[in-house]
Amino acid sequence: WGELPGPPPRYELARVRGPGKLWPLRLAMRLRSLDLSGYDSIILNDIGACFVFGSFFGGSIHVRRAIVFLHGGEPVEVFLAPHGYLRLTRFARRYARLLSGSKAVVAVSDYMKDYFLRHSPSGLDAAKISVIYSGIDQELFRPVESGLRGELGIEEGASLLLSTGRITEEKGFPGMLSVFEELVAGDAGYAWVVVGTGPYACELRSRADRSAVLKDRIILRGYVERPELPAYYSSADLFWLLSAREGESFGLVYAEAQSCGCPALGLAMHGVNEAIENGVTGYLVSDERECLALLRQHAYSGLDRRDIASRASRWGTESSLERLEGLL
């Protein structure tokens, strides 16, 4: 998240390596080797960290220093359908106790706060949950000059659509594939670049290779290092992802795209509603048919890319750090 204003904070990075099944014990031993009383705040950023802390330190005074983050999967993974060690150890009760006794609880969006309160039988008071968006490193994610279109062989004048992240069914890729196939059947002036990996990537590639309409119109780039992503966002005419996953707490990829001046398109549901200003920084659509109509109209081409990048400053790390500093 970068550095807080003023003197650099005191921190210690503890790396834990070893066999996967033993990592909770190894992390617990590493934490026990530290003098936790010397820290004003202990940030627990995921379920794994909460599991170790709640299991080994849940009854200690250190809980009062804990700041627990909620990212999206907590209601299902802890309370509704736990699996693995969370189910075997009946962690839900300790997690609820950890939340109640902690210094603060942070949700990464207003939707995530509401989603957690609706689906988690933790008894947590809503007033205890603060909303702090996960910050975007805008030193990295900003408009850049790029020759990516030429590198990918995208013809001049073609509209370049971009998607990044995990390539899965729940992220909306089957529906997007159908939309894109119908789109290019009527207008060949589109290309779709997909960055990332996932279980649906093989189906996406297979469908593209078998279809005369899709062939050479879908470009799968696989995994790309984060420093390379701004070139993709800056080159694209539109970032789109039709994720309908209920636990979609925000969607950082939408914010990354906008920070690079690229308009974003997503379904008008869950945390995506907070990531896109409809008609200003991109578009929120209700379904695939509305998405197809918008793409055919090239509506996104009328949006001001400099204004989009400017408005995306609200997702910067400085804003998030200021709010977090108030909890430390």
Side-chain angles (χ1 to χ4, degrees), residues 1 42 53 104 119 168 173 251 257 279:
W1 274 27
I42 303 169
F53 198 85
H119 294 288
T168 64
F173 279 94

Side-chain angles (χ1 to χ4, degrees), residues 133-136 138 250 255 258-259 274-275 312-317 320:
Y133 293 111
S134 297
I136 298 293
Q138 293 183 321
F250 178 65
Q258 292 169 71
S259 292
E274 296 173 58
S313 63
R314 67 190 187 281
W315 310 131
T317 53
S320 298

Side-chain angles (χ1 to χ4, degrees), residues 124-136:
L124 188 65
D125 184 354
K128 187 167 186 175
I129 305 178
S130 300
V131 175
I132 302 178
Y133 293 111
S134 297
I136 298 293

Side-chain angles (χ1 to χ4, degrees), residues 5-221:
R10 174 174 173 245
Y11 69 92
E12 181 163 349
L13 175 63
R15 294 187 180 277
V16 179
R17 295 185 175 89
K21 293 181 180 180
L22 296 178
W23 73 263
L25 182 59
R26 291 176 180 273
L27 178 56
M29 292 174 62
R30 184 69 182 89
L31 289 175
R32 285 194 180 280
S33 71
L34 302 174
D35 179 13
L36 295 182
S37 62
Y39 296 88
D40 296 315
S41 300
I42 303 169
I43 297 177
L44 305 176
N45 193 48
D46 57 29
I47 295 174
C50 289
F51 173 77
V52 171
F53 198 85
S55 299
F56 293 91
F57 301 91
S60 70
I61 60 172
H62 302 310
V63 170
R64 302 174 193 169
R65 302 186 183 93
I67 298 177
V68 181
F69 272 74
L70 306 174
H71 288 282
E74 292 83 3
V76 173
E77 294 179 36
V78 177
F79 295 106
L80 304 180
H83 60 85
Y85 56 85
L86 297 182
R87 176 177 57 82
L88 292 174
T89 60
R90 298 181 179 180
F91 175 62
R93 183 176 298 179
R94 290 198 299 279
Y95 185 67
R97 188 167 61 241
L98 173 62
L99 293 172
S100 177
S102 65
K103 178 191 288 190
V105 178
V106 174
V108 297
S109 68
D110 287 308
Y111 166 76
M112 182 60 223
K113 177 177 179 177
D114 178 65
Y115 175 65
F116 183 84
L117 291 171
R118 282 188 292 113
H119 294 288
S120 301
S122 63
L124 188 65
D125 184 354
K128 187 167 186 175
I129 305 178
S130 300
V131 175
I132 302 178
Y133 293 111
S134 297
I136 298 293
D137 179 1
Q138 293 183 321
E139 289 296 313
L140 172 62
F141 291 101
R142 57 186 176 81
V144 298
E145 294 293 329
S146 170
L148 187 67
R149 284 175 174 262
E151 176 189 329
L152 298 178
I154 297 172
E155 60 198 48
E156 183 123 7
S159 291
L160 176 55
L161 309 182
L162 173 70
S163 302
T164 64
R166 285 279 293 165
I167 306 175
T168 64
E169 293 189 30
E170 64 180 3
K171 287 291 186 179
F173 279 94
M176 293 165 69
L177 181 58
S178 297
V179 167
F180 188 73
E181 188 166 21
E182 190 169 346
L183 179 69
V184 296
D187 183 349
Y190 292 88
W192 180 17
V193 173
V194 181
V195 172
T197 61
Y200 196 73
C202 290
E203 174 65 17
L204 193 60
R205 186 182 300 278
S206 176
R207 286 275 298 276
D209 290 342
R210 294 197 311 265
S211 170
V213 173
L214 295 175
K215 194 171 181 63
D216 301 325
R217 293 292 165 191
I218 299 179
I219 303 170
L220 279 77
R221 297 293 282 177

